[in-house]
Amino acid sequence: MYDVIVVGTRVSGAPLAMLLARKGYRVLGVDRAVFPSDTPSTHYIHQAGLSLLKTWGLLDRVIATGCPPVKNLNFSYTDIHIRGMADPSPDGIDAVYCPRRTVLDKILVDAAGDSGADLIEGFTVADLLYEGDRVVGIRGRAGTGPEREFRAQLVVGADGSSSTVAKQAGAHVYEGSPAACFVYYSYYDGVDWGMQHRTGFGEQQFASWPTNDGLALVAVMRKRDRFRDFRADPDAGVQEIVEQIDPELGAKLRDSGKRVEPFRPMLYPDNYRRQSFGPGWALVGDAGYHKDPFTGWGITDSFKYSQLLADLVDESLAGGRPFEQTLPEYQRERDEQSASTYELTLSISELSLTPYYDSVFRATSMSPDYSKKFFGLIAGLYPPEKYFGEAELAELYEQVGFPAEARHVSKSGATL
C-alpha cells in the first residue's frame, strides 16, 4: 500500500514523487517510457523554474551536463524589438537554460529514485481501481509482463495532455480554447544565434536557443491551416520563415546551419483547464492544465504546481486538513497563480498582437527600464499586475513620448 502513486514521471510527476519521498512518504512512480527518453518540448526553463531546481538541489546537475547559459534574450513582434535580460532572481540566477528532455527528465527521474520513491519504467496504466466512487489504485503492466495492481491513498495523473488518469476519472474541461498553430522543430549544428523569439508579419514565428551537445533548437510556428503545405518540404519552410523575419539570420542558416536530427512536427492540443481533483485522485502538469508553447512556460509551470501539490498533499498525509479541503485549494491556487500567464499566452500565440498588446510592447521597446521589467515578467520575477498596471502604463507612455492616439492602458480598450 502506497501513500501516493504518480502516473507519469517527467517534469511534473518526477518532482512530485521526489518531494513526497523526501518527506518520508511511500511513493510509486510509473511511466510508459524508459529513461533517458525524449518528448516534444520547448526545453526552455525560466528563472522561476530554475530557482525551484536550485531549491531541490538539482540545478548544478543540469548545468554540469554542458547545457549553456543564456544571458541575453531577443524578442520581436513584427517591427517591435525587445532585447535584454531580467535582473538576477533573489537567489542569484542570472541566466536561463534549455536542456534537452533526454537530459532533464533523466535527472529528475534519478532524483526521485534517489529520494526513495519506487519507480517502474515501461509501465502502461490500463485502468484505475475504485472502491465506490473513490480511486484507490491502478492496474497495468510493464511491457509484456503480467498485469499488476497497486493501491494508494492518492493517485496523481502526471501523464500529459492525453492523460489516462484524467480520462478514467472523468475529468472535464471547464475552460479552454482551440490551439492556433502548428510547430516544427529540430536540432542544428552551426547555428550560433543565442536566444531568438521572433514573430514576423504574415503570422509566422521562429525561435532558437542553445541546448546540449553544442546544438541549437530551431523551431518555427504557423497557423494550422498551413500545416499540409508546410510539411511537404519543411526544410524549405524553415528557411523561408527565418529569411522573411530576419534576412541576416536567414543567410546564416543557409550558409552554416546543418540540421542533424529529424524534424518533430507537432499539432499542439487545445488550451484547457481540466477538473484536477476528485475522490482519491488529482492531476498535475499538462494532464490538468495546458497552454500553447509560445511563451515556453510548460516546464516552469510543471515545476511550480508540482511543488504546490506536494505541499498540500503533505498537509493531508501528515494529518492536517483532509484531501477534500487541500485538493480543491490546489486547483484554485494553480488557476489563480497561472491566470496572467495563461491569458497572455492565449492572446499572443495567435501570432498577431491586439492593439492593446501592440501598444504595450511597442512602448516597452522604447524604454530600457521597462524592457528589463518585460524580461522580469517573462522570467516569472516581475508581477503582471504591475507590468500591465494602468498607472504604470500611463507613466511609460508619457516617458517615451508615445503617440496619444495609440495609448492603450487596459485590455478592455481604454485609451489615454
Side-chain angles (χ1 to χ4, degrees):
M1 178 73 174
Y2 287 94
D3 295 305
V4 178
I5 294 172
V6 182
V7 180
T9 56
R10 292 192 182 271
V11 294
S12 297
L16 179 65
M18 174 194 72
L19 292 166
L20 291 173
R22 287 179 177 180
K23 291 285 189 179
Y25 298 113
R26 192 171 182 215
V27 180
L28 171 65
V30 301
D31 200 294
R32 288 180 295 183
V34 176
F35 297 92
S37 169
D38 208 357
T39 190
S41 174
T42 64
H43 299 42
Y44 195 93
I45 309 177
H46 294 271
Q47 284 162 276
L50 295 170
S51 290
L52 285 168
L53 282 177
K54 186 174 183 178
T55 298
W56 300 338
L58 302 180
L59 180 56
D60 286 346
R61 298 190 200 180
V62 172
I63 295 173
T65 67
C67 185
V70 178
K71 297 189 176 185
N72 189 67
L73 312 180
N74 298 279
F75 282 74
S76 71
Y77 302 87
T78 58
D79 59 338
I80 303 169
H81 297 273
I82 309 175
R83 300 179 177 91
M85 185 71 190
D87 287 329
S89 63
D91 52 359
I93 296 173
D94 62 354
V96 297
Y97 292 86
C98 307
R100 291 197 63 158
R101 293 295 295 272
T102 50
V103 171
L104 177 64
D105 293 8
K106 176 65 172 168
I107 289 172
L108 295 171
V109 169
D110 287 349
D114 293 344
S115 299
D118 293 337
L119 302 172
I120 306 177
E121 298 181 9
F123 188 94
T124 300
V125 174
D127 298 292
L128 298 179
L129 303 178
Y130 281 87
E131 288 183 1
D133 66 349
R134 186 174 191 84
V135 174
V136 296
I138 61 171
R139 178 187 297 115
R141 57 167 46 91
T144 59
E147 193 169 72
R148 303 173 68 184
E149 294 185 357
F150 300 96
R151 292 176 177 261
Q153 296 185 58
L154 182 69
V155 174
V156 179
D159 46 345
S161 58
S162 57
S163 169
T164 297
V165 176
K167 291 176 183 176
Q168 294 268 334
H172 67 277
V173 172
Y174 58 87
E175 181 180 357
S177 64
C181 298
F182 70 85
V183 179
Y184 260 76
Y185 77 86
S186 189
Y187 302 92
Y188 288 73
D189 193 11
V191 173
D192 187 19
W193 305 341
M195 187 279 182
Q196 304 285 337
H197 193 284
R198 313 286 298 279
T199 305
F201 293 103
E203 297 182 325
Q204 55 189 2
Q205 187 255 10
F206 81 84
S208 177
W209 33 75
T211 187
N212 296 90
D213 304 319
L215 301 177
L217 179 151
V218 177
V220 296
M221 183 181 290
R222 272 181 174 165
K223 288 295 187 73
R224 282 190 170 215
D225 59 5
R226 304 180 69 179
F227 179 70
R228 179 172 296 182
D229 291 338
F230 186 93
R231 67 181 179 180
D233 190 350
D235 281 306
V238 170
Q239 183 67 48
E240 177 188 49
I241 291 173
V242 176
E243 282 185 350
Q244 289 182 357
I245 296 175
D246 190 317
E248 182 179 347
L249 292 183
K252 289 182 178 180
L253 178 63
R254 186 182 299 279
D255 293 343
S256 60
K258 179 183 178 182
R259 179 169 59 83
V260 297
E261 294 190 23
F263 279 112
R264 276 74 164 174
M266 292 176 290
L267 287 171
Y268 263 77
D270 292 341
N271 308 283
Y272 58 78
R273 296 188 191 275
R274 285 188 183 128
Q275 177 70 20
S276 294
F277 69 93
W281 63 273
L283 303 176
V284 70
D286 284 354
Y289 156 58
H290 177 268
K291 60 192 173 306
D292 194 280
F294 188 84
T295 49
W297 264 85
I299 296 174
T300 299
D301 270 357
S302 290
F303 291 171
K304 285 179 62 178
Y305 304 123
S306 292
Q307 179 72 69
L308 174 64
L309 181 58
D311 291 342
L312 289 166
V313 168
D314 172 40
E315 183 179 348
S316 291
L317 292 175
R321 291 181 297 160
F323 284 127
E324 288 76 14
Q325 294 180 21
T326 57
L327 294 182
E329 180 177 330
Y330 155 69
Q331 180 171 296
R332 287 194 304 271
E333 283 292 314
R334 180 202 65 188
D335 289 358
E336 181 178 331
Q337 292 179 24
S338 64
S340 60
T341 303
Y342 186 75
E343 190 275 333
L344 175 63
T345 301
L346 267 59
S347 295
I348 66 177
S349 62
E350 296 281 342
L351 304 185
S352 60
L353 295 178
T354 64
Y356 169 75
Y357 283 113
D358 186 284
S359 67
V360 172
F361 295 152
R362 194 173 297 276
T364 294
S365 71
M366 302 165 68
S367 166
D369 178 61
Y370 225 80
S371 291
K372 191 169 284 290
K373 293 175 181 178
F374 169 83
F375 289 111
L377 170 77
I378 296 298
L381 304 176
Y382 192 78
E385 62 272 17
K386 291 198 68 176
Y387 179 82
F388 292 109
E390 293 188 11
E392 287 80 1
L393 290 177
E395 182 179 354
L396 168 65
Y397 293 140
E398 193 65 29
Q399 286 178 349
V400 301
F402 204 70
E405 66 275 10
R407 298 179 183 185
H408 293 261
V409 295
S410 75
K411 301 180 184 70
S412 62
T415 59
L416 287 174

